[in-house]
Amino acid sequence: MVAKTWTEQVHTSSLKFDDQGAGLKRRREHALEQFMSDGFPSRKHEEWRYTPLSRLAEGPCSPLLEPSEGIPESSDLPIEMMAKVVLLNGEFRQDLSDLSALPPAVRIQSLNQMRRTDPDQLASLLDQFLPQTSHPFHHLSDALLDDGVHIEVVEEGAKIESPIHILHIIDGQAHSGSAHVTGLIQVATGAHLDVIEEIRSTGEVLGNLRWGIGLDPQATLKRVRAFRPECASIFHGTRVVQQQGSRFDDLFSSSGGELIRNELHVIHEGTGCHCELLGAYVGRGKEHLDHHTTIDHKVEDCTSREVYRGVLSDRARGVFSGMIHVHQDAQRTDAKQSNDTILLSDTAEANTRPRLEIYADDVKCTHGATIGELDENAIFYLRSRGVSVDEARKIMVRAFTSEVFVQMEDRQLSDFIVNEIQESIQAVEVDHG
Amino acid sequence: MTEAEELKKIADREYEFGFVTDVESDSLPPGLDESTIRQISSRKDEPEWLLEYRLKAYRHWLTMEDPSWPKVERNAIDYQQIIYYSAPKPKKVLDSLDEVDPELIETFEKLGISLDEQKRLSGVAVDAVFDSVSVATTFSDKLAEMGIIFGSFSGAVKEHPDLVRKYMGSVVPYTDNFFAALNAAVFTDGSFCYIPPGVKCPMELSTYFRINAAGTGQFERTLIIADEKSTVSYLEGCTAPMRDENQLHAAVVELVALEDATIKYSTVQNWYPGDADGVGGIYNFVTKRGICKGARSKISWTQVETGSAVTWKYPSCVLLGDDSVGEFYSVALTNNMQQADTGTKMVHIGKRTSSTIVSKGISAGRGQNTYRGLVDVKKGATNARNFSQCDSMLLGDRCGAHTFPYIEVRNSTAKVEHEATTSKIGEDQIFYCNQRGISTEDAVSMIVNGFCKEVFSELPMEFAVEAQKLLAVSLEGSVG
Amino acid sequence: MSGKKENSMLEIKGLCASVEGTTILRGIDLDVKAGEVHAIMGPNGSGKSTLANVLAGREDYSVDAGTVQYNGIDLLELSADERACEGIFLAFQYPVSIPGISNAYFLRTALNAVRRYRDESEVDPVDFLELVRSKMDLVGMDEKLLHRAVNDGFSGGEKKRNEILQMAVLDPKLAILDETDSGLDIDALRIVAEGVNALRKEERSIVVVTHYQRLLDYIVPDHVHVLSDGKIARSGDKSLALELEKEGYSWLQADDAKAGNNA
């Protein structure tokens, strides 16, 4: 299904971009062709059976957002950062960013600039970290590739002490539209990098954000994602390729957003890798929160931990689809996955698909999933200590989501996120049913 | 012997029920069209409504596509090459066991199923189905005294048409899926069972299925109705000869439990699995579903799946009545080139409905074993409960174990829990057994049996022993 | 059976063994006669448990040199289960759990495997239960444990008692107790030791592997050997154990250092 508005808009916009190198040109042409023929998938597609794309497919967000000056009001995250990258309606804004304290071990540049100065290198990086697959939002981001960011820790063993803050602002106040951002992160052997990615939005917009990440041997990347959009549709996809002994930590949190689809694909190419995928989300109103994770254990002795927790109220819908794929050579894989959902109302809905696909025999793989209501015994316990029902429920919601953040070192930031999650739940009356 | 050698030996095991019985059979030529269906119906002397039902199903089937979503690889089936009707002669109605072809009696004796009522020590009533036709039913007179109807499906069509007409297709409509439609069009026989209100069936009811003739498909239908406050335990076993071709088994089983009724349905499936290279073997595509129609009713499925080249089945429960209970206990073993995609669907509709799923998958050789299950809690299912436990064990490094649960919840008072683990037999476990004098072969068999214990303990005593033996044979060892 | 050493049950000569390429045993010589109790002591990592496991036939360990004669047969030629059937019993330091299989079923399967090997008739469940019950008092074990899965959810003490119960039922010629005292409080230790003592007899040899002397207060050994760096550093009678208790193992390093200097 692809509405005419989308095909027309994307076609016109795509052709306006002028690519320097053959590689970029080929990617754009291929993606455009694919999008024109496939459009958005229907619910019959197994990977999209729970995702309601019909409103999006109607096309209100099909035009590209114009450059904007306004930054939506929102409290700033309490972080001390090394550098700040601001992407406003998809455009890397040097004027709003702050790269002054950046050490020489880290290089940050805009993709728009790379497209002009180094198109062949960009094309080869994209081919390496974001190979073209059959995926509607990937088609869109490739067909409409304009700007984004390339972050690279170039110095082996460099420990970058404070995080780089990446702020996406998607401003649809003037009119609806979409912004497409491509990001690349490379961390050199033995180096360490922290990244905090934040999304803010206003108006009816589509944010299509896509990351390709490469971790060299023994490198570590810690990423915290705080999604704080108002009523946007956010597609956020990440593909991570890990080399020997590297580590990837990802903490996803969201409070708000009309439709959020969070996709993570982690590929362990080197032995002894570890990844940790954590997520906490709340849904209210008619929000739809969709999480799709795949961990490809391709080689021996890799480990993964995955914990996603959601609280759903009103008519919100939460989806978790997690795949652990243990390939034949991936002996001694140790993978644990869990997804727990709490439903606060009878009109909320949770769909969970924890999946294991295992082709090696010497492995430890477990997954667990629970869906239920708040623990009535615990609520009773709190009430017996003088806490009101409403307060007790809020405490329980907080306890449930904040367990995900236990391992986060930055207490200040994690408290801030937990508070924001809790507040967004408090914004609606907790259902007593 | 080392574990690796042991596992190889396991992978090389032979199938012991692969003999062919030499009986004369009355068959239709291969192929399927409306006239085939008319001929099946007329040979079975069926009423007009049933022929109409078959034809409707056939016309619907023509509009459907052979499904490709299960995680299995298989040859395409040429539906025009299958013989849809094959019955051992004579096909006249039998008055007593004396009239059954001695060859047939011998076949079932060989399979360890005695049809001679006098010889039976334990009370198990058997309906023997040979190439889709019921050839003998034991104890039916004794059961009839209690009002229990147990016998062939065709017999029930003639003698209890109202019951058959009321319930047939009510749980699995012919529109349900490709193979259910095919079955509805061409089914030849099967078992029928009705337990009247308040009756506790005093013995296990059992159907034993045997595919014998070459080139045939087996399309039986089983319908069990447990009326209010009644209880029945039903067992199903199956074997087939070794043949190079893939034979299709597409059965439909429907269970109806009314208020306060309990149905326990146990299967030990040992169809021919094909040879070590994956040549031949049964394609076992079965639709099994029960409906807990009345309040406090209960349906419990237990299956031990060791045979078939490809198994594709999801015995399910529709929990409609308030406080009804659904259970699914499964052991599936895939060895050599066998593939199994099996699991269950628990659909919670009534209030306080609860379901339990315990699945144990064992993969050996190059076998692929998939658990696929759905727990669906509808909006009205207040205080629904589900607990699922799916464990996989891998024997060897060329097999696969996959777990694909789907959980869909639309009620906040529901409590759904799912757990899955994957493991192999620990070398320390084998060494511990060895050190106590137990050979590696016996140790593997013992540990696998221990792994399956929660499921075996759900089987009726007699079947549990058979299942353990079967698993041990499948694992080329002996337990007990 | 060799005529020269009429009552030698176990004769180890120059035994070297390694795990995944790391050499652990570097030439062990040991002679255990029928009816004797030998204690093998030594600091952590000296190779005590390796020796126990090599004798029982664990496949992860490879024997690189040396011979082991057991009642005149070449023990190293036999698989682990054959050794068990020949009468070698290893009480595990960490008994393994087998979920789903009851303790009673496991033990009966083991007993019948051993009996079949000896061309004896199998024991039926009724006689078996009688036999086991008669042995249970020996270790003060609750009959409930018989019907629970093998070592599954057992406490440390229950596991060790269960090992001694298995020993009593399987009636081995040579019992090797690998750190049977570890993880036991003093009462449990006494019960387990008393069980072992009750099983001492003329035809049975026992090798006790332990880090601490305290077990030897209860199971009094005829010979004590101190293992260090994969070799027997010293042998003596029970007084050697008491000496170790007082002085610890540090003198071993001192001795080694001296030996190193001299060389």
Side-chain angles (χ1 to χ4, degrees), chain A residues 365-384:
Chain A
C365 292
T366 62
H367 67 209
T370 62
I371 299 176
E373 53 185 345
L374 290 172
D375 182 350
E376 287 298 330
N377 286 328
I379 288 172
F380 178 73
Y381 180 76
L382 287 169
R383 291 181 66 191
S384 75

Side-chain angles (χ1 to χ4, degrees), chain B residues 1-3 427-429 431-440 442 446-447 449-451 453 468 479-480, chain C residues 53 57-58 80-81 84-85 88-90 92 96-101 105-106 109-110 113 151 163 166 170:
Chain B
M1 193 181 289
T2 66
E3 196 187 343
E427 274 160 32
D428 53 344
Q429 285 178 318
F431 178 60
Y432 191 66
C433 294
N434 284 165
Q435 215 302 306
R436 297 298 180 256
I438 300 164
S439 68
T440 301
D442 288 353
M446 178 189 279
I447 294 163
N449 267 311
F451 174 72
K453 193 191 171 202
Q468 282 198 28
V479 178
Chain C
N53 279 289
R58 197 173 186 121
D81 49 320
C85 292
I88 291 183
F89 180 89
L90 173 66
F92 284 55
V96 179
S97 65
I98 305 176
I101 293 298
Y105 182 85
F106 174 75
T109 307
N151 294 322
E163 293 293 287
Q166 292 182 12
L170 296 175

Side-chain angles (χ1 to χ4, degrees), chain B residues 330-397:
Chain B
S330 170
V331 166
L333 174 99
T334 54
N335 198 351
N336 294 320
M337 299 291 282
Q338 277 178 279
Q339 306 170 76
D341 192 312
T342 183
T344 184
K345 285 191 246 180
M346 293 290 175
V347 183
H348 292 256
I349 301 170
K351 294 184 175 62
R352 296 171 303 277
T353 47
S354 71
S355 61
T356 304
I357 298 170
V358 177
S359 163
K360 305 281 180 176
I362 302 141
S363 311
R366 277 184 282 170
Q368 298 294 327
N369 210 322
T370 302
Y371 167 81
R372 187 188 302 273
L374 168 69
V375 174
D376 186 356
V377 178
K378 303 286 192 198
K379 219 172 219 73
T382 310
N383 285 311
R385 294 286 176 265
N386 163 267
F387 176 75
S388 306
Q389 173 77 47
C390 300
D391 298 321
S392 305
M393 184 177 264
L394 293 112
L395 310 178
D397 56 6

Side-chain angles (χ1 to χ4, degrees), chain A residues 361-429:
Chain A
D361 62 338
D362 191 2
V363 297
K364 265 191 262 172
C365 292
T366 62
H367 67 209
T370 62
I371 299 176
E373 53 185 345
L374 290 172
D375 182 350
E376 287 298 330
N377 286 328
I379 288 172
F380 178 73
Y381 180 76
L382 287 169
R383 291 181 66 191
S384 75
R385 296 292 176 271
V387 178
S388 73
V389 181
D390 281 3
E391 198 56 36
R393 282 171 183 266
K394 284 167 192 167
I395 290 171
M396 292 299 294
V397 167
R398 187 188 177 92
F400 177 75
T401 47
S402 57
E403 269 181 79
V404 171
F405 296 85
V406 166
Q407 288 178 47
M408 201 164 137
E409 284 151 21
D410 189 336
R411 234 353 82 214
Q412 222 191 340
L413 179 60
S414 66
D415 285 351
F416 180 87
I417 295 172
V418 169
N419 274 334
E420 216 166 54
I421 284 177
Q422 194 188 12
E423 270 167 30
S424 67
I425 269 296
Q426 284 181 15
V428 298
E429 184 62 18

Side-chain angles (χ1 to χ4, degrees), chain C residues 22-216:
Chain C
T22 309
T23 302
I24 299 194
L25 300 183
R26 302 166 186 274
I28 300 273
D29 295 296
L30 187 66
D31 191 2
V32 179
K33 295 188 167 51
E36 289 181 346
V37 174
H38 287 242
I40 311 273
M41 301 184 70
N44 291 329
S46 60
K48 302 186 302 280
S49 279
T50 301
L51 178 61
N53 279 289
V54 166
L55 292 177
R58 197 173 186 121
E59 278 178 27
D60 320 353
Y61 297 83
S62 64
V63 174
D64 305 318
T67 59
V68 180
Q69 291 284 313
Y70 166 74
N71 283 333
I73 53 174
D74 180 357
L75 189 68
L76 301 178
E77 281 296 300
L78 303 182
S79 66
D81 49 320
E82 287 167 332
R83 293 182 203 197
C85 292
E86 286 286 350
I88 291 183
F89 180 89
L90 173 66
F92 284 55
Q93 183 180 1
Y94 304 108
V96 179
S97 65
I98 305 176
I101 293 298
S102 80
N103 221 0
Y105 182 85
F106 174 75
L107 192 47
R108 184 158 65 86
T109 307
L111 179 63
N112 282 332
V114 173
R115 290 179 67 95
R116 269 201 308 276
Y117 186 87
R118 295 177 189 155
D119 283 327
E120 292 168 0
S121 65
E122 294 192 14
V123 180
D124 68 45
V126 179
D127 291 344
F128 172 76
L129 210 58
E130 213 167 290
L131 173 71
V132 175
R133 280 198 185 119
S134 73
K135 307 284 184 189
M136 290 191 77
D137 290 341
L138 212 60
V139 286
M141 209 167 101
D142 193 328
E143 195 173 323
K144 273 185 223 144
L145 287 185
L146 270 187
H147 306 293
R148 280 177 40 196
V150 184
N151 294 322
D152 203 18
F154 283 28
S155 71
E158 285 170 341
K159 282 184 187 171
K160 295 298 169 78
R161 284 182 209 195
N162 196 26
E163 293 293 287
I164 304 306
L165 173 71
Q166 292 182 12
M167 173 177 160
V169 171
L170 296 175
D171 196 21
K173 293 183 189 133
L174 171 65
I176 304 161
L177 313 183
D178 187 7
E179 308 260 1
T180 294
D181 50 335
S182 69
L184 294 186
D185 62 32
I186 196 72
D187 292 327
L189 179 73
R190 195 166 50 227
I191 292 166
V192 167
E194 279 166 7
V196 174
N197 282 332
L199 294 171
R200 282 178 84 153
K201 57 178 184 180
E202 279 291 295
E203 322 78 83
R204 175 175 294 141
S205 308
I206 299 177
V207 174
V208 182
V209 173
T210 181
H211 185 86
Y212 300 105
Q213 192 270 338
R214 63 172 194 166
L215 178 65
L216 305 179

Side-chain angles (χ1 to χ4, degrees), chain A residues 46 49-50 328 345-346 349-359 361 365-373, chain B residues 71 368 396-397 400-412 414-422 424:
Chain A
E46 183 70 7
R49 62 185 268 169
Y50 299 117
Q328 199 174 342
S345 87
D346 271 351
E349 186 177 329
N351 297 306
T352 295
R353 282 197 306 163
R355 290 176 291 166
L356 300 174
E357 200 167 329
I358 295 168
Y359 296 93
D361 62 338
C365 292
T366 62
H367 67 209
T370 62
I371 299 176
E373 53 185 345
Chain B
K71 197 178 164 51
Q368 298 294 327
D397 56 6
H402 319 297
T403 315
F404 300 141
Y406 292 67
I407 305 169
E408 301 183 0
V409 180
R410 289 176 181 78
N411 186 299
S412 68
K415 194 169 209 152
V416 177
E417 288 173 81
H418 173 95
E419 283 175 27
T421 65
T422 299
K424 63 178 234 164

